[in-house]
Amino acid sequence: MRMQNNSSPSVSPNTSFTSDGSSSPIGEIKRKAEDSDSEPEPEDNVRLWEAGWKQRYYKNKFDVDAADDKFRRKIVQSYVEGLCWVLRYYYQGCASWKWYYPFHYAPFASDFEGIADMPSDFEKGTKPVSLSI
């Protein structure tokens, strides 16, 4: 109520402000050329909303068949190791300076079966890489 009785000009809830401070109705903001992405959106070949999404995901991202349980288990093992590495890093310090996640993509949550039995041992006594130029 107090805001409506204020002497300053009222602003519609459908108004946004541009970087120079001027107002413009939402939906009519014009993007500057440097704000737009010059690259088009990548094509979605996985299509998670359609049947067969898991097969397409593993084929597109890892170039393997989704029926390859051994490979999926390897990805899950590496991912779980990564989670353990991060937790150890934040609570106990770096578990190993040599460990890395060897894939670009994560497994599906539906593949996380029997992870309680997965070991997460890291090489002890490793040192960070020295970048001397």
Side-chain angles (χ1 to χ4, degrees), residues 14-100:
N14 293 329
T15 301
S16 69
F17 294 91
T18 60
S19 59
D20 63 358
S22 61
S23 64
S24 99
I26 291 178
E28 294 182 24
I29 298 174
K30 294 188 176 154
R31 294 176 59 175
K32 295 181 181 177
E34 62 265 13
D35 289 344
S36 66
D37 297 331
S38 59
E39 296 179 24
E41 286 289 321
E43 185 178 345
D44 181 9
N45 295 322
V46 177
R47 299 181 311 277
L48 292 171
W49 60 90
E50 291 179 8
W53 53 268
K54 195 173 212 176
Q55 177 66 32
R56 286 190 300 274
Y57 178 79
Y58 282 104
K59 189 65 178 165
N60 284 317
K61 304 299 182 187
F62 299 102
D63 199 25
V64 297
D65 192 81
D68 188 348
D69 292 334
K70 187 176 179 181
F71 183 79
R72 286 190 330 191
R73 187 80 177 155
K74 182 180 175 182
I75 295 169
V76 169
Q77 167 71 34
S78 296
Y79 198 83
V80 168
E81 285 177 357
L83 295 173
C84 292
W85 189 95
V86 169
L87 288 171
R88 285 188 190 184
Y89 180 84
Y90 282 104
Y91 290 104
Q92 299 173 358
C94 185
S96 171
W97 286 99
K98 290 185 178 181
W99 188 88
Y100 65 96

Side-chain angles (χ1 to χ4, degrees), residues 128-133:
V129 176
S130 175
L131 299 175
S132 53
I133 296 175

